[in-house]
Every structure is written in structure tokens, then in C-alpha cells.
Amino acid sequence: MSELMRESLSALMDDRASELELERLLKHSGDKELRQTWVRYHAVRNAIGGQATASLSIDISAGVRAAITGEAETSETPSAQPSKIQSLLRPVASLAVAASVAAVVVVGGVQWGQSGDSSGYNPPVSIASGVSPVGMLNRSGAVPVQMTYGSQPLSPNRAEVRAVYRELARRNMERYMADHAAHASLNTPQGMVPYAKVEAL
Amino acid sequence: MHAVQRRSPRVRQIFLLPALLATALVPALARSSECPSTDPRALAWLDKMSRALSEVDYQGVVTYERGDDTQVMNISHSVSGGQEEEHMSLLVGKGGDVMRKAHPLECVHPGHQLLRLDASSTDDCGISRFYRIDVVGQERVAGRPSIQLTIAPRDMFRYGYRLALDSETGLLMKMQILGKGGVPLERFQFASVSVGSPSTDQELTLNDEAAAHHAKHPVMHAAKQVAPWHVHWLPAGFTLAADADPRGHSQTYTDGLAVFSIFLEQPDRPLPPGEGMVRKGGTTTYTRGIKRADGVVLATLIGEVPLNTARMVVDSIRWSP
């Protein structure tokens, strides 16, 4: 493994990797030595920070990747003879399949907005009582999350697709808010107040 | 009690009510004392609040804020002949009126059932399984003494709340929805209120009664409707708020404090799968394009829940075979 890669890896750990470095690392993410170095760096950092490292030998990435690939394949089997449009859209589709897994991982690493407790009440340390469909617990979101379609290279369509869906969410908020307010006014203690959220009464 | 007796007469009155209420609710409280670390008085207050909302006559001016947006509205509620009548009239911006008439008192929706302590139920921890609820003090709202409650979620799938309930009637006078770290996302409170039957000059005049929006009420179906799709996962404590829409377009769930609704539609043009969201105050709107054999279906969740809850619920939508 080159010195350059080692430096990029170190930069990534410090959250200082440039797009170029990130791309270089992702391109070589299958490299066994690179992966072991990554695990080792973390172990060292944990040790310095006084945290124990569970095990240096467990690598679940292969399993996760196999699961994602498997799922992507099943979801595409119905189209035996893919049309031109479908083959164009397939990269986007497979990225979206990865999204549910990748998004959770990204969410876990996001620094959530203000942590200062300006309001005086301290939420207790909470334990999830439900079972997550994605198999792991994510942090509660009080702040918008930068979404990702996985760790794969950017598709030229990605920004466009995101913009379309953001617009759809905005439009649907207006469209469905009156229906939602009707249910909220009957099923929460707020009475008619939820109707204040309806843009055009 | 000695500490209470040393307080001023007014403060003692405030304490007297929950005490009276507690006596009336002894059987329920005996059980709720076994519920996970929750003040049983707080549960009794939530029960009282839920009943007050439908049974008490009141009218007043409410301010509602989220971010830079402030709304001011007139709200009135009255009961006569076993039926409720509610009006809301926006006083700023574009204005607008909403009314709900002839709502039978005995029509208690699932969200309110979750807040009420039912003496016949064997498991009556109510929402304390999902929230830690505490009576934390008193404050004055709209010139009236009120009791402060904090409601903190026990998991990361819902928001927290801070409430102020009218000491005399239990009416909800003030409410904040709190995000992570107790950050307020939105709030409303009464600026002025009068309780009891309105005198004629107090009676609310709508901006334009003919143009008023009539608040929807779910149609109750005699036969259980089977929607062509269902959600495979819900945060604990959430339950269907109304019968499924027979057209299969929407479903609504509540845990007594939060409500979210899911709407399904076909996009008006072919779309690749994807997701997008908008947040305003405590309300999250999350739209996901779900790939199906015959194209992408759009699922939109709107509700006062964190983004991750919205994403996980939509992620679990399954169609019946």
C-alpha cells in the first residue's frame, strides 16, 4: 500500500479527506491491506482514547456487500429483457437499494445540531423498545440529514433525482397537510391548532 | 403534605385538585404506580386533559410558532346536546376558517383513548411505557394558574413535549414539541382564554362562514376494510388512528401525542426510486419512490415524528400478495 493511500486514510479518519482522496480510497476499498490498516488505525485511536477494541479480526463488510448484491439481484429479476430506459436507470435503482443500509450508517456518524440543553429538561438515556427493520438502531433525528445513495460513485442523475424528490415532498406536504391536520386534531390534545399548519385553508 | 400547607392559599388550591383527582382514580393509580418510573399524578393530569378538550366550553386567542412563522388564531369549543362544535379562525396572513360541527361527545378517537385511564383495563400504564411524564411545577398562562408537565420519549422514535394544563379544568394551555436535546421545534399557547359558556358579545365570528373549511372526520366502516398494503414496522405504542381508507390511499397512526399519516399515489410521470424530505417545525414530510413491478409508487409520510421514524416506517411498507 502506497504512502499516498496511507495519508488519504489518515485524512479520512480525521474527517479531512478531499473528494479526490475519498474517491481514491473507495476505488481501492476491496484491498485487503487497506482495510486492515483502517481497522488498525481505529484500534490505535480507540486505545489512545482509552476505549477497548472488541476484536480486530471481525470484518462484516463482505457479508453486508453480499446481502446488498443479493437484494439488488432479486429486485431486478422480473425484468428479463431490460429496456433501454431500465438499463439507464439501473445504477440509480441499485444505489437506492443500498440507501436503507448506507443511510443508517451515515446517520450514525452525523453530528446532530445543537446539543446544548437550553430548555432545561434532560432527556433520559433511552433504549429503543421497537425492533428496527434495518437491523440496527439509528439516532433520533431532530435535524435534516444529508442523504446518500450509498458509498458508490456519484451518478450524473443523482442530484437531479434528489431535487425531484425534494420537490415532491414539498408539494405533498401542502397537498396532504389538511388531511393530516384533521387526524391530528382528533387524535392529539391539540384540538384545532394543527390546522394552523395548513398553507391554504 | 406539610410543605404544601406552608404555601400560599392559591398554591395550595393548585395542589388540591390533583389530590382530589387522585382519590377518584385510586384503582387506576394502584396499577400505574407499577408503571415504569412515571409520576402517577402526571398520568391523571393527561386523562383530565383529554376529557377537558371535548367536555369543556372555552374560547380564546392562541399563538402558534415554528421557526420564523407565527400564526394567531381564535379558537372556540362548545358542547350542547351531547355534541361538540369547534371553530378556528386564523387572524393573520391569508386568514381562513375551520369548523367541525355535530361531533358526538361519545366519539372518542384512538389518540384520546390512549391518554385516558380506563378503570376496566388491566394494563393501564397508558403512554408512560413510551414516555416519561413528570409534573414539574406551575406557571401562569393567559392569566390562569397552570400545571407544567414534561413528557420525555423513552426511545428515539418520537419527540418530547412540555405542556401547561389549566389547574382548574385541565385544558391544554401551552405546548412545546421538543427535538433532540430538548430543542423546541414548535409551540402554541393561549394568549387569552375564557372558560365556560360564551356571553353573546364573546361569541366567535368567523371571517367568512360560507368559505370555512369543514374539518374532515374519518368515516367509520361497518366491515373491517383490508387495505392492499400495510406497514410491517411501527414504533412501539403507535396504533391505527382511523379505519383504513377504503380506496387504499392512506393510513394514520397515533401514540396519543404524535400522529403520522401515510399517503400512497402513482407519480404522474415515470420516476426512478429515490427519497426526499421537508421539515417545518415539528412536522416531517418524507416522500419515497418505492420500486414495484409496474413502476415506482410514491409513499409520503407526514407527521410529528423524527425523520428516521418516518424513513423506517415507509421502509417497511409491504403489499398484500
Side-chain angles (χ1 to χ4, degrees):
Chain A
M1 194 174 69
S2 70
E3 195 55 37
L4 198 62
M5 294 295 281
R6 245 184 272 275
E7 270 173 27
S8 301
L9 202 57
S10 171
L12 183 65
M13 278 197 62
D14 295 338
D15 212 7
R16 287 202 187 128
S18 67
E19 291 240 336
L20 249 160
E21 283 176 309
L22 189 62
E23 223 166 274
R24 189 185 306 132
L25 284 166
L26 286 173
K27 210 181 282 172
H28 293 90
S29 61
D31 179 10
K32 205 170 173 203
E33 196 191 345
L34 177 77
R35 299 159 75 88
Q36 278 171 352
T37 314
W38 174 250
V39 173
R40 222 168 41 241
Y41 279 7
H42 274 277
V44 169
R45 186 164 70 179
N46 288 353
I48 293 169
Q51 292 173 314
T53 304
S55 167
L56 294 184
S57 57
I58 298 171
D59 183 0
I60 61 162
S61 60
V64 170
R65 189 180 297 168
I68 293 172
T69 321
E71 206 176 310
E73 273 165 11
T74 14
S75 69
E76 279 172 22
T77 34
S79 48
Q81 284 196 315
S83 69
K84 250 185 193 160
I85 293 177
Q86 275 174 316
S87 56
L88 271 175
L89 290 179
R90 185 175 297 151
V92 185
S94 56
L95 294 184
V97 171
S100 57
V101 177
V104 174
V105 175
V106 168
V107 162
V110 169
Q111 188 63 44
W112 296 100
Q114 311 94 310
S115 55
D117 187 2
S118 55
S119 59
Y121 112 68
N122 297 299
V125 177
S126 53
I127 294 166
S129 52
V131 178
S132 148
V134 285
M136 62 191 287
L137 298 170
N138 44 24
R139 310 283 301 272
S140 71
V143 188
V145 185
Q146 190 66 38
M147 279 192 299
T148 168
Y149 286 109
S151 55
Q152 315 216 7
L154 287 180
S155 131
N157 287 332
R158 186 180 164 227
E160 206 181 311
V161 171
R162 279 173 54 177
V164 165
Y165 272 96
R166 200 178 308 121
E167 178 54 23
L168 278 172
R170 199 200 53 73
R171 186 201 70 178
N172 284 347
M173 181 178 65
E174 281 184 20
R175 226 170 113 205
Y176 295 130
M177 191 56 94
D179 278 354
H180 172 62
H183 286 294
S185 72
L186 292 169
N187 288 284
T188 71
Q190 301 179 48
M192 297 296 248
V193 174
Y195 277 101
K197 302 179 187 190
V198 181
E199 293 279 335
L201 275 172
Chain B
M1 277 311 276
H2 295 295
V4 174
Q5 277 161 4
R6 278 198 298 272
R7 290 171 195 262
S8 72
R10 177 174 290 140
V11 175
R12 198 186 314 156
Q13 268 186 342
I14 294 172
F15 276 90
L16 200 62
L17 255 154
L20 281 176
L21 202 68
T23 328
L25 293 165
V26 166
L29 286 173
R31 279 194 300 275
S32 59
S33 62
E34 294 156 20
C35 299
S37 60
T38 277
D39 186 345
R41 287 179 310 157
L43 279 183
W45 273 111
L46 289 183
D47 175 276
K48 188 177 164 93
M49 169 183 76
S50 164
R51 292 171 202 275
L53 190 73
S54 55
E55 292 164 10
V56 174
D57 285 356
Y58 61 91
Q59 50 279 313
V61 177
V62 171
T63 59
Y64 168 82
E65 295 164 73
R66 54 173 177 180
D68 299 333
D69 182 28
T70 302
Q71 301 282 346
V72 183
M73 62 201 114
N74 251 326
I75 283 193
S76 80
H77 177 267
S78 58
V79 186
S80 76
Q83 295 193 318
E84 289 175 71
E85 186 168 327
E86 286 174 278
H87 287 154
M88 189 273 257
S89 207
L90 278 175
L91 303 176
V92 294
K94 290 185 291 250
D97 299 299
V98 186
M99 61 167 93
R100 179 179 284 123
K101 287 183 162 175
H103 190 230
L105 263 183
E106 63 266 26
C107 178
V108 180
H109 291 262
H112 284 282
Q113 276 162 7
L114 291 169
L115 296 180
R116 297 187 183 183
L117 299 172
D118 181 359
S120 65
S121 165
T122 49
D123 166 30
D124 225 341
C125 292
I127 61 166
S128 70
R129 291 193 187 285
F130 316 110
Y131 295 94
R132 189 199 153 95
I133 311 155
D134 291 294
V135 177
V136 289
Q138 300 108 45
E139 69 173 302
R140 198 162 269 278
V141 183
R144 295 171 67 91
S146 63
I147 300 286
Q148 292 174 317
L149 298 182
T150 58
I151 302 182
R154 292 193 194 273
D155 59 32
M156 69 277 276
F157 303 121
R158 56 204 106 216
Y159 288 135
Y161 300 84
R162 187 179 299 131
L163 312 181
L165 310 185
D166 186 47
S167 303
E168 186 192 326
T169 60
L171 270 182
L172 179 58
M173 299 295 287
K174 182 177 172 180
M175 172 166 172
Q176 286 186 325
I177 300 184
L178 307 172
K180 189 159 196 295
V183 180
L185 301 174
E186 61 177 72
R187 72 184 92 203
F188 80 81
Q189 68 172 24
F190 275 94
S192 70
V193 70
S194 65
V195 175
S197 305
S199 60
T200 34
D201 61 323
Q202 273 180 326
E203 246 176 293
L204 180 74
T205 43
L206 294 177
N207 292 328
D208 180 0
E209 177 146 3
H213 175 92
H214 287 263
K216 273 194 197 167
H217 189 280
V219 183
M220 297 301 172
H221 305 289
K224 188 91 185 147
Q225 296 289 318
V226 180
W229 55 279
H230 65 280
V231 288
H232 194 62
W233 178 85
L234 286 168
F238 275 88
T239 170
L240 257 182
D243 285 354
D245 168 14
R247 297 163 303 163
H249 293 178
S250 70
Q251 288 180 18
T252 300
Y253 294 89
T254 179
D255 71 350
L257 293 171
V259 165
F260 64 78
S261 309
I262 307 163
F263 304 89
L264 255 58
E265 63 180 319
Q266 297 289 339
D268 44 19
R269 61 195 152 124
L271 278 174
E275 59 176 355
M277 97 226 16
V278 178
R279 291 182 72 256
K280 253 186 157 184
T283 307
T284 301
T285 307
Y286 173 79
T287 294
R288 163 85 68 95
I290 304 171
K291 191 180 175 188
R292 300 207 68 211
D294 51 350
V296 160
V297 172
L298 289 180
T300 297
L301 184 148
I302 301 186
E304 285 66 42
V305 288
L307 169 62
N308 288 318
T309 306
R311 181 186 267 132
M312 287 163 73
V313 170
V314 171
D315 213 45
S316 77
I317 292 176
R318 303 281 184 274
W319 276 265
S320 315

